[in-house]
Amino acid sequence: MRTPQVVVVMGVAGTGKTTIGPLLAARLGVPYAEGDDFHPQANIAKMSAGIPLEDADRWPWLDAIGTWAHGRAGLGGVVSSSALKRSYRDRLRAEAPGVVFVHLTGSRELIESRMSQRQGHFMPTALLDSQFATLQPLEADEAGVAVDVSGGPDEITERAVQALEALSVASQ
């Protein structure tokens, strides 16, 4: 039997990390952790004010997510994190070497449309450009898959499960 993976659901704001993460965790039979819950209050205040985070703001947040992922090694889990830069993913891997990334991808227009429909989220649509400017997609040497976010949540989740299964088979 395969050891359960720890999966980081990543992507720019509005791709559906908070929707797909719990669905994926349920399909995999593992716990889910919401990445936004690991942000210090100062980060939330900055983003709520429309101020993009700097790397120095992100390090404690990424370390907290990495600590959670490390604690789930061998047990499995799903956690959301924008993880937009390679250096952010490297930081997560330094803490939890076996993590696998599911990069939720979509057009700027689709994501902006979804963000404009969200209620009560601290991340304003105005920061979407900075998210796309920061984004460095997964590189060939990174354990992970890209999953298109067009369609409904169940369809996207199914794509993620199939992509993870294919990745697992390919890495054996």
Side-chain angles (χ1 to χ4, degrees), residues 123-144:
M123 176 67 90
T125 306
L127 289 180
L128 191 54
D129 286 335
S130 74
Q131 293 258 301
F132 273 106
T134 302
L135 177 64
Q136 296 172 342
L138 290 171
E139 296 179 27
D141 66 329
E142 294 185 89

Side-chain angles (χ1 to χ4, degrees), residues 3-167:
T3 301
Q5 297 174 309
V6 177
V7 177
V8 177
V9 178
M10 62 167 281
V12 299
T15 52
K17 297 181 296 289
T18 299
T19 300
I20 303 307
L23 293 172
L24 182 59
R27 284 287 306 276
L28 299 175
V30 297
Y32 171 73
E34 171 55 51
D36 286 342
D37 293 344
F38 293 93
H39 272 297
Q41 189 57 44
N43 285 7
I44 293 172
K46 263 185 130 170
M47 290 183 285
S48 296
I51 302 167
L53 297 180
E54 297 176 15
D55 287 354
D57 300 318
R58 288 186 177 95
W59 300 140
W61 172 64
L62 290 165
D63 291 344
I65 292 171
T67 298
W68 183 89
H70 177 81
R72 297 299 311 163
L75 304 170
V78 174
V79 62
S80 60
S81 169
S82 53
L84 298 177
K85 287 185 181 179
R86 170 74 188 242
S87 61
Y88 304 164
R89 297 187 297 272
D90 288 345
R91 190 150 182 141
L92 290 170
R93 276 190 294 269
E95 190 69 34
V99 297
V100 175
F101 294 88
V102 170
H103 179 187
L104 299 179
T105 64
S107 72
R108 189 195 185 292
E109 295 74 26
L110 173 63
I111 295 165
E112 182 176 23
S113 169
R114 289 183 178 173
M115 282 183 79
S116 67
Q117 296 172 28
R118 295 196 302 193
Q119 300 293 318
H121 194 278
F122 61 81
M123 176 67 90
T125 306
L127 289 180
L128 191 54
D129 286 335
S130 74
Q131 293 258 301
F132 273 106
T134 302
L135 177 64
Q136 296 172 342
L138 290 171
E139 296 179 27
D141 66 329
E142 294 185 89
V145 296
V147 175
D148 179 68
V149 296
S150 59
D154 291 333
E155 182 182 348
I156 298 164
T157 302
E158 182 58 30
R159 271 189 223 126
V161 169
Q162 289 178 3
L164 287 169
E165 287 174 352
L167 180 67

